[in-house]
Amino acid sequence: MIDALFQTLSAAGRAAPAGVPLAERGTALLRLRREIHAREDAVIAALAQDFRKTATEVRLSELLTVYQEIRLARRRLATWARGRRIGSGLLLLGT
């Protein structure tokens, strides 16, 4: 099973070695934000039922945080996706 999964993931990596384009990632983050916003009432109800959180508490401590993280991710996406060299460290010295 693990071998089959590895083969599947390896084939997917070879098919799209550069990964998902930045524009597509940004669009996906916007789509995620819209989907969360569309389901805010369900999120509030679930957290009220499970953790007895008020709607205001959910909006401030949960939803606002997620929206801010999505915004940050969109702003920093190009920087985070940029390639960079990383040293191998002592464990791999001489290999």
Side-chain angles (χ1 to χ4, degrees):
M1 181 173 149
I2 291 177
D3 289 333
L5 179 59
F6 178 76
Q7 295 302 325
T8 301
L9 291 173
S10 293
R14 285 189 301 275
V20 180
L22 288 179
E24 202 171 315
R25 292 180 198 184
T27 301
L29 286 167
L30 282 177
R31 213 170 32 245
L32 175 62
R33 187 192 187 295
R34 279 195 300 269
E35 291 298 325
I36 293 170
H37 184 70
R39 292 168 175 77
E40 274 187 8
D41 292 336
V43 171
I44 291 168
L47 291 174
Q49 182 179 357
D50 292 348
F51 301 109
R52 302 196 191 295
K53 287 190 172 195
T54 65
T56 302
E57 185 179 4
V58 171
R59 283 189 179 95
L60 290 175
S61 68
E62 307 294 339
L63 295 171
L64 183 62
T65 303
V66 169
Y67 293 146
Q68 287 175 333
E69 289 297 321
I70 291 172
R71 187 171 154 232
L72 175 68
R74 290 194 71 240
R75 268 198 332 244
R76 302 276 171 90
L77 194 58
T79 303
W80 290 343
R82 188 178 310 134
R84 60 181 178 190
R85 289 186 176 269
I86 298 177
S88 59
L90 290 174
L91 289 175
L92 298 176
L93 187 64
T95 60

